[in-house]
mmCIF file of all heavy atoms in Angstrom:
data_model
loop_
_atom_site.group_PDB
_atom_site.id
_atom_site.type_symbol
_atom_site.label_atom_id
_atom_site.label_comp_id
_atom_site.label_asym_id
_atom_site.label_seq_id
_atom_site.Cartn_x
_atom_site.Cartn_y
_atom_site.Cartn_z
ATOM 1 N N ALA A 52 178.225 -1.173 111.229
ATOM 2 C CA ALA A 52 178.105 0.060 110.467
ATOM 3 C C ALA A 52 177.493 1.185 111.289
ATOM 4 O O ALA A 52 177.943 2.343 111.183
ATOM 5 C CB ALA A 52 177.234 -0.193 109.204
ATOM 6 N N SER A 107 182.945 -12.899 122.176
ATOM 7 C CA SER A 107 182.237 -14.202 122.306
ATOM 8 C C SER A 107 181.628 -14.627 120.989
ATOM 9 O O SER A 107 181.592 -15.793 120.646
ATOM 10 C CB SER A 107 181.199 -14.137 123.427
ATOM 11 O OG SER A 107 180.220 -13.168 123.113
ATOM 12 N N GLU A 112 181.541 -17.990 115.949
ATOM 13 C CA GLU A 112 181.653 -18.111 114.487
ATOM 14 C C GLU A 112 182.835 -18.978 114.099
ATOM 15 O O GLU A 112 182.769 -19.765 113.154
ATOM 16 C CB GLU A 112 181.838 -16.706 113.872
ATOM 17 C CG GLU A 112 180.596 -15.819 114.036
ATOM 18 C CD GLU A 112 179.366 -16.348 113.329
ATOM 19 O OE1 GLU A 112 179.498 -17.209 112.429
ATOM 20 O OE2 GLU A 112 178.259 -15.902 113.679
ATOM 21 N N TYR A 115 181.640 -22.468 114.437
ATOM 22 C CA TYR A 115 180.764 -22.897 113.339
ATOM 23 C C TYR A 115 181.569 -23.236 112.082
ATOM 24 O O TYR A 115 181.192 -24.123 111.325
ATOM 25 C CB TYR A 115 179.761 -21.770 112.987
ATOM 26 C CG TYR A 115 178.827 -21.393 114.092
ATOM 27 C CD1 TYR A 115 178.349 -20.112 114.229
ATOM 28 C CD2 TYR A 115 178.398 -22.340 115.019
ATOM 29 C CE1 TYR A 115 177.474 -19.741 115.251
ATOM 30 C CE2 TYR A 115 177.545 -22.010 116.043
ATOM 31 C CZ TYR A 115 177.066 -20.699 116.147
ATOM 32 O OH TYR A 115 176.245 -20.356 117.170
ATOM 33 N N PRO A 119 182.727 -28.435 111.988
ATOM 34 C CA PRO A 119 182.343 -29.496 111.060
ATOM 35 C C PRO A 119 183.550 -30.300 110.571
ATOM 36 O O PRO A 119 183.474 -31.521 110.427
ATOM 37 C CB PRO A 119 181.675 -28.723 109.910
ATOM 38 C CG PRO A 119 181.114 -27.526 110.560
ATOM 39 C CD PRO A 119 182.104 -27.126 111.602
ATOM 40 N N VAL A 123 184.171 -34.330 111.408
ATOM 41 C CA VAL A 123 184.430 -35.330 110.374
ATOM 42 C C VAL A 123 185.732 -36.079 110.671
ATOM 43 O O VAL A 123 185.805 -37.302 110.539
ATOM 44 C CB VAL A 123 184.489 -34.671 108.970
ATOM 45 C CG1 VAL A 123 184.996 -35.665 107.919
ATOM 46 C CG2 VAL A 123 183.097 -34.176 108.584
ATOM 47 N N GLY A 134 180.532 -43.591 120.299
ATOM 48 C CA GLY A 134 181.129 -43.601 121.618
ATOM 49 C C GLY A 134 182.586 -43.123 121.573
ATOM 50 O O GLY A 134 182.989 -42.330 122.417
ATOM 51 N N ALA A 183 175.136 -33.106 123.772
ATOM 52 C CA ALA A 183 174.286 -33.531 122.636
ATOM 53 C C ALA A 183 174.393 -35.027 122.368
ATOM 54 O O ALA A 183 173.407 -35.690 122.072
ATOM 55 C CB ALA A 183 174.665 -32.704 121.390
ATOM 56 N N ARG A 189 171.345 -43.529 121.102
ATOM 57 C CA ARG A 189 170.363 -44.501 121.622
ATOM 58 C C ARG A 189 170.756 -45.143 122.943
ATOM 59 O O ARG A 189 169.955 -45.194 123.862
ATOM 60 C CB ARG A 189 170.095 -45.576 120.546
ATOM 61 C CG ARG A 189 168.967 -46.515 120.904
ATOM 62 C CD ARG A 189 168.638 -47.427 119.726
ATOM 63 N NE ARG A 189 168.204 -46.621 118.595
ATOM 64 C CZ ARG A 189 167.976 -47.128 117.386
ATOM 65 N NH1 ARG A 189 168.166 -48.414 117.165
ATOM 66 N NH2 ARG A 189 167.553 -46.364 116.398
ATOM 67 N N LEU A 195 169.357 -43.054 130.296
ATOM 68 C CA LEU A 195 168.726 -41.920 130.922
ATOM 69 C C LEU A 195 167.244 -42.148 131.148
ATOM 70 O O LEU A 195 166.592 -41.457 131.944
ATOM 71 C CB LEU A 195 168.920 -40.686 130.040
ATOM 72 C CG LEU A 195 170.349 -40.134 129.949
ATOM 73 C CD1 LEU A 195 170.428 -39.019 128.942
ATOM 74 C CD2 LEU A 195 170.873 -39.681 131.291
ATOM 75 N N HIS A 197 165.832 -44.821 132.374
ATOM 76 C CA HIS A 197 165.544 -45.672 133.511
ATOM 77 C C HIS A 197 164.917 -44.853 134.627
ATOM 78 O O HIS A 197 165.204 -43.670 134.810
ATOM 79 C CB HIS A 197 166.786 -46.385 134.005
ATOM 80 C CG HIS A 197 167.274 -47.421 133.052
ATOM 81 N ND1 HIS A 197 168.548 -47.983 133.132
ATOM 82 C CD2 HIS A 197 166.691 -47.999 131.966
ATOM 83 C CE1 HIS A 197 168.688 -48.865 132.170
ATOM 84 N NE2 HIS A 197 167.593 -48.885 131.457
ATOM 85 N N VAL A 203 166.945 -39.238 139.789
ATOM 86 C CA VAL A 203 168.104 -38.405 140.021
ATOM 87 C C VAL A 203 167.962 -37.095 139.266
ATOM 88 O O VAL A 203 168.301 -36.020 139.801
ATOM 89 C CB VAL A 203 169.386 -39.156 139.591
ATOM 90 C CG1 VAL A 203 170.606 -38.220 139.634
ATOM 91 C CG2 VAL A 203 169.620 -40.369 140.466
ATOM 92 N N PRO A 256 152.306 -47.052 128.478
ATOM 93 C CA PRO A 256 151.931 -48.472 128.258
ATOM 94 C C PRO A 256 150.859 -48.572 127.158
ATOM 95 O O PRO A 256 150.020 -47.666 127.014
ATOM 96 C CB PRO A 256 151.375 -48.899 129.609
ATOM 97 C CG PRO A 256 150.958 -47.650 130.298
ATOM 98 C CD PRO A 256 151.888 -46.582 129.799
ATOM 99 N N PRO A 257 150.866 -49.649 126.371
ATOM 100 C CA PRO A 257 149.857 -49.809 125.316
ATOM 101 C C PRO A 257 148.475 -49.953 125.903
ATOM 102 O O PRO A 257 148.273 -50.414 127.032
ATOM 103 C CB PRO A 257 150.329 -51.075 124.582
ATOM 104 C CG PRO A 257 151.116 -51.821 125.624
ATOM 105 C CD PRO A 257 151.789 -50.793 126.439
#
Side-chain angles (χ1 to χ4, degrees):
S107 62
E112 295 297 342
Y115 298 149
V123 169
R189 188 172 298 174
L195 292 174
H197 290 166
V203 171

